[in-house]
């Protein structure tokens, strides 16, 4: 339930409206596209850009003619920023957003827990960035519009879906009439009320939680630093919860819980929202003038499809799963979905991998969803206790935290973390993890360590697969230098990166001088260590000392969709 703008102008954001253009199907032409993406929110836009990066054209359909209203999803996690780095957009997002590392939790207006997310000089990106969803979408959208690999069709509403073994056919409603569009594959990124999901007769399964939140954006000048503040049983909302986040353009996001028995329509009246917000601001000592920008109503769910792949249709983002906002997992899960699905589609469409590779999308990303559910459920039950017993336990922890250190970690909100595909069909030689004491293990995302003041590891990771070979000598095993030939892939399909403690160069080979010993240390590497990296930056396998036959087998297993040769 979202407030209509009713012709009002935003206090800070320019909602550009985009024209409808007649597609080829309404001009008497038609062709079968490689990929159609339904939904031009952050997840659909990300998928289109990742497909384009891999050389795959797509058609992007959206029933609106502008970006979504309101701040909505506002927190971009480090792993998502690394995805944006791969898309060449991280700098634009950094320039626009507010980074943060800390959070504070209060019980009855007293500070009881101080969150500090891990961050060091070796990290290229901060653990979290705040940026309103309008800006997130606009930055992605500008890149999509500039791409000649993506055709974006506004005011195009999918109303029917059919598929067979060769193609998917979508019926689309437009201002100029209806038409059908055919594609090899469809990515359904059309959100919580997915029409594609509905047309296939699929339902999200899971739980709905007690507790409703009004989420509101206000504009207010304040010097308070960027961090997440959570208030439990505060004086301005007794017995309930409040969350506060700072955003760019002097916009503050205030989420406050409302009582279970109150009338929603009454609560969402503007005068009541203003009164609630005024009480919150008084409580935290803000006395400057403020303006109300936008509001909506939120309820927490942990819902997901049983399978994210249905023949030629893959579901990504909220079309596949709904997760609670606590821990900022929704947007970040969706971006990971998009990157995972896109590179696999690209490899299958280009004939580099078997169709079975697409079967690995669901177990990997649904596994990530279930992991999110486990952590988000804990956070949600702490934020909005579902029973009297849960509330008694929660309040006991908070009360103890005022004067007892041991209970404070129980308040940890468990922020979003990238998922490790340890049980994926694509991971191999898991026994090799035992050779390492630390470092990114099999199935985990790589560590994007800084190499110097300007470069980081992601600057050298290739478009396709990459191999990190660690050497403390200029004498490199010739087999390593010819690994691309051993794998039978084209030049752009595999990038070998020599990480060395010495400064030297090799013709047509990427050599990274690990001056700070940061990479050797963080990857627990020694001379001859090797990491095989997937296009989405997750580790396929690793070896303390390279075994070229196992590397080839691991790569081929991935191309075969997890099946051994």
């Amino acid at each position: 339930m979202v407030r209509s703008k009713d012709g009002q102008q935003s206090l800070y954001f320019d909602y550009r409206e985009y024209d409808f253009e007649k597609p080829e199907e309404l001009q008497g032409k038609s062709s079968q596209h490689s990929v159609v993406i339904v939904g031009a929110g952050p997840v659909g836009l990300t998928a289109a850009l990742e497909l384009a990066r891999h050389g795959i054209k797509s058609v992007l359909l959206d029933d609106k003619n502008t970006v979504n209203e309101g701040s909505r999803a506002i927190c971009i996690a480090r792993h998502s920023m690394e995805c944006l780095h791969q898309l060449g957009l991280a700098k634009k997002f950094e320039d626009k957003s507010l980074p943060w590392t800390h959070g504070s939790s209060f019980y009855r207006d007293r500070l009881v827990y101080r969150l500090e997310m891990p961050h060091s000089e070796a990290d290229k990106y901060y653990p979290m960035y705040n940026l309103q969803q309008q800006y997130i979408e606009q930055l992605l959208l500008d890149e999509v519009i500039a791409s000649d690999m993506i055709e974006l069709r506004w005011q195009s509403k999918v109303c029917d879906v059919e598929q067979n073994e060769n193609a998917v056919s979508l019926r689309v409603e437009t201002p100029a009439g209806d038409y059908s569009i055919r594609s090899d594959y469809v990515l359904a990124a059309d959100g919580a009320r997915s029409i594609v999901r509905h047309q296939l007769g699929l339902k999200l399964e899971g739980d709905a939680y007690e507790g409703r939140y009004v989420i509101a954006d206000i504009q207010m000048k304040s010097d308070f630093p960027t961090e997440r503040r959570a208030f439990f049983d505060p004086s301005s909302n007794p017995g309930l919860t409040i969350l506060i986040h700072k955003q760019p353009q002097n916009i503050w996001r205030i989420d406050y819980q409302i009582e279970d028995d109150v009338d929603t329509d009454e609560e969402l009246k503007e005068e009541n929202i203003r009164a609630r917000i005024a009480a919150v601001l008084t409580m935290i000592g803000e006395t400057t003038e403020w303006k109300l920008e936008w509001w909506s109503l939120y309820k927490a769910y942990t819902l997901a499809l049983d399978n994210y792949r249905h023949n030629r249709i893959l579901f990504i983002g909220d079309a596949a799963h709904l997760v609670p906002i606590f821990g900022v997992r929704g947007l970040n899960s969706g971006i990971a979905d998009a990157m995972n699905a896109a590179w696999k589609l690209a490899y299958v469409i280009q004939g580099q991998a078997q169709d079975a590779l697409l079967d690995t999308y669901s177990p990997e990303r649904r596994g990530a969803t279930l992991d999110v559910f486990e952590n988000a459920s804990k956070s949600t039950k702490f934020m909005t206790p579902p029973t009297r017993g849960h509330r008694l336990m929660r309040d006991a922890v908070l009360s103890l935290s005022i004067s007892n250190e041991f209970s404070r970690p129980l308040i940890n909100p468990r922020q979003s973390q990238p998922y490790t595909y340890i049980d994926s069909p694509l991971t191999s030689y898991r026994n090799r993890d035992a050779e390492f004491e630390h470092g990114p293990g099999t199935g985990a995302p790589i560590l994007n360590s800084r190499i110097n003041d300007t470069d980081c590891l992601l600057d050298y990771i290739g478009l396709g697969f990459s191999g990190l070979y660690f050497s403390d000598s200029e004498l490199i095993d010739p087999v390593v230098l010819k690994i691309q030939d051993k794998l039978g892939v084209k030049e752009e399909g595999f990038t070998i990166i020599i990480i060395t403690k010495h400064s030297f160069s090799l013709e047509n080979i990427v050599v990274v001088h690990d001056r700070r010993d940061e990479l050797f240390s963080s990857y627990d590497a020694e001379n001859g260590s090797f990491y095989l990296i997937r296009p989405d930056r997750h580790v396929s396998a690793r070896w303390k000392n390279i075994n070229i036959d196992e590397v080839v087998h691991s790569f081929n297993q991935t191309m075969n969709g997890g099946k051994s040769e």
Side-chain angles (χ1 to χ4, degrees):
M1 186 173 184
V2 181
R3 177 177 72 117
S4 169
K5 288 195 286 290
D6 294 328
Q8 298 178 46
Q9 296 297 311
S10 169
L11 297 171
Y12 70 99
F13 187 82
D14 177 20
Y15 288 94
R16 306 176 212 166
E17 294 188 350
Y18 297 89
D19 294 334
F20 168 78
E21 297 182 8
K22 270 191 176 183
E24 64 176 22
E25 289 84 357
L26 284 173
Q27 300 179 49
K29 306 173 186 178
S30 65
S31 59
Q32 184 161 318
H33 303 275
S34 293
V35 182
V36 168
I37 303 170
V38 184
V43 177
L45 293 166
T46 299
L49 290 170
E50 179 65 357
L51 284 168
R53 195 170 72 96
H54 286 278
I56 301 298
K57 292 185 176 182
S58 64
V59 176
L60 188 54
L61 307 175
D62 198 273
D63 58 1
K64 307 186 307 304
N65 69 340
T66 187
V67 300
N68 281 294
E69 182 191 12
S71 65
R72 299 176 185 265
I74 63 170
C75 296
I76 305 171
R78 175 183 284 144
H79 184 71
S80 295
M81 191 63 79
E82 291 168 355
C83 293
L84 295 169
H85 185 119
Q86 289 186 287
L87 296 175
L89 290 172
K91 181 64 168 57
K92 291 181 179 179
F93 274 79
E94 277 190 297
D95 290 345
K96 197 71 177 176
S97 59
L98 299 176
W100 56 283
T101 59
H102 291 77
S104 298
S105 295
F106 300 82
Y107 177 55
R108 294 179 179 171
D109 303 353
R110 295 183 63 177
L111 179 66
V112 293
Y113 178 72
R114 184 72 172 155
L115 166 71
E116 182 173 357
M117 292 181 286
H119 181 65
S120 71
E121 292 184 359
D123 291 311
K124 167 66 175 177
Y125 297 112
Y126 282 88
M128 209 68 68
Y129 294 80
N130 280 359
L131 185 63
Q132 298 94 312
Q133 184 167 322
Q134 307 104 310
Y135 286 123
I136 294 171
E137 291 187 18
Q138 192 66 59
L139 289 171
L140 293 168
L141 179 57
D142 290 345
E143 195 75 7
V144 163
I145 292 172
S147 173
D148 59 4
M149 301 293 289
I150 306 166
E151 180 185 353
L152 178 51
R153 301 182 183 181
W154 296 105
Q155 299 182 63
S156 299
K157 181 180 180 180
V158 172
C159 57
D160 192 32
V161 181
E162 294 182 0
Q163 64 173 322
N164 56 39
E165 61 181 15
N166 298 314
V168 184
S169 180
L170 304 174
R171 192 73 180 163
V172 183
E173 295 178 353
T174 79
D178 297 359
Y179 68 88
S180 291
I181 181 172
R182 288 172 59 84
S183 67
D184 297 333
Y185 296 95
V186 165
L187 285 176
D190 51 342
R193 297 179 176 86
S194 170
I195 293 175
V196 177
R197 191 179 65 227
H198 175 74
Q199 286 293 319
L200 294 186
L202 303 173
K203 292 184 178 181
L204 299 177
E205 303 290 344
D207 298 314
Y209 289 90
E210 298 296 328
R212 296 169 297 167
Y213 280 78
V214 172
I215 58 178
D217 290 344
I218 66 169
Q219 189 174 61
M220 175 183 69
K221 289 185 178 180
S222 172
D223 294 330
F224 197 90
T226 306
E227 65 172 54
R228 187 226 59 162
R229 282 181 283 177
F231 297 85
F232 300 94
D233 194 12
S235 58
S236 65
N237 202 20
L240 302 173
T241 310
I242 298 170
L243 295 172
I244 302 177
H245 273 282
K246 184 178 184 179
Q247 302 178 83
Q249 303 286 5
N250 293 319
I251 299 297
W252 291 81
R253 167 76 165 267
I254 299 177
D255 302 9
Y256 59 87
Q257 186 183 359
I258 59 176
E259 295 87 348
D260 294 338
D261 58 352
V262 302
D263 180 78
T264 301
D265 293 335
E266 186 68 20
E267 277 294 325
L268 290 177
K269 288 181 178 178
E270 184 169 339
E271 61 267 25
N272 292 329
I273 290 174
R274 288 183 177 277
R276 290 268 202 170
I277 291 173
V280 172
L281 296 179
T282 298
M283 179 190 74
I284 62 176
E286 294 286 358
T287 59
T288 58
E289 180 185 355
W290 59 275
K291 297 178 181 179
L292 182 60
E293 160 76 10
W294 169 88
W295 65 83
S296 180
L297 183 70
Y298 170 80
K299 186 176 175 65
Y301 298 93
T302 49
L303 303 172
L305 289 172
D306 290 335
N307 195 328
Y308 293 177
R309 182 189 184 187
H310 289 264
N311 299 324
R312 291 180 171 271
I313 300 174
L314 278 65
F315 290 86
I316 59 179
D318 286 354
H321 48 72
L322 293 179
V323 303
I325 59 172
F326 312 118
V328 298
R329 296 172 173 88
L331 170 68
N332 296 295
S333 294
I335 289 175
D337 290 348
M339 300 294 283
N340 189 300
W343 82 262
K344 291 174 180 177
L345 268 177
Y347 270 69
V348 171
I349 290 170
Q350 293 170 337
Q352 299 179 66
Q354 295 184 12
D355 180 81
L357 179 60
L358 296 181
D359 288 332
T360 68
Y361 166 70
S362 187
E364 287 192 344
R365 294 310 305 157
R366 192 170 190 279
T369 301
L370 297 179
D371 183 68
V372 165
F373 284 179
E374 182 178 352
N375 288 291
S377 294
K378 295 174 184 176
S379 298
T380 303
K381 290 175 181 177
F382 198 86
M383 296 296 295
T384 57
T387 66
R388 183 174 180 273
H390 277 95
R391 180 173 293 279
L392 287 171
M393 292 184 64
R394 195 277 304 269
D395 290 349
V397 168
L398 290 166
S399 181
L400 285 169
S401 297
I402 294 174
S403 56
N404 293 276
E405 184 76 28
F406 77 90
S407 62
R408 291 171 186 167
L410 296 174
I411 307 173
N412 190 336
R414 304 176 182 87
Q415 299 295 335
S416 173
Q417 296 292 327
Y419 185 64
T420 297
Y421 301 133
I422 187 63
D423 295 320
S424 168
L426 302 186
T427 59
S428 54
Y429 299 104
R430 300 173 198 172
N431 59 307
R432 294 295 188 181
D433 276 340
E435 300 171 0
F436 295 80
E437 293 184 5
H438 59 269
T442 305
I446 63 172
L447 303 172
N448 182 35
S449 301
R450 287 186 182 273
I451 295 167
N452 52 46
D453 292 339
T454 59
D455 294 353
C456 62
L457 183 58
L458 269 185
D459 292 326
Y460 300 92
I461 293 294
L463 173 65
F465 283 75
S466 300
L468 306 182
Y469 181 77
F470 293 81
S471 174
D472 61 7
S473 167
E474 297 183 28
L475 300 175
I476 309 298
D477 187 336
V479 174
V480 174
L481 301 180
K482 297 293 184 181
I483 193 170
Q484 180 182 307
D485 296 334
K486 293 281 287 184
L487 297 176
V489 295
K490 297 179 181 179
E491 183 177 344
E492 64 272 15
F494 188 84
T495 301
I496 182 69
I497 302 168
I498 308 296
I499 299 173
T500 174
K501 295 181 179 180
H502 306 282
S503 179
F504 63 87
S505 61
L506 294 171
E507 187 176 357
N508 298 323
I509 299 292
V510 177
V511 178
V512 175
H513 184 194
D514 188 20
R515 295 179 179 85
R516 304 173 178 176
D517 194 30
E518 183 63 46
L519 294 173
F520 268 83
S521 176
S522 60
Y523 281 78
D524 190 28
E526 60 185 34
N527 186 48
S529 295
F530 187 81
Y531 281 72
L532 179 61
I533 313 299
R534 302 173 2 171
D536 59 355
R537 310 190 317 280
H538 284 259
V539 177
S540 288
R542 62 176 177 165
W543 295 263
K544 198 73 169 180
N545 289 285
I546 189 171
N547 182 316
I548 194 65
D549 291 333
E550 290 185 1
V551 172
V552 172
H553 182 270
S554 178
F555 178 82
N556 289 336
Q557 180 175 320
T558 298
M559 294 298 94
N560 295 333
K563 300 175 183 177
S564 298
E565 298 173 277

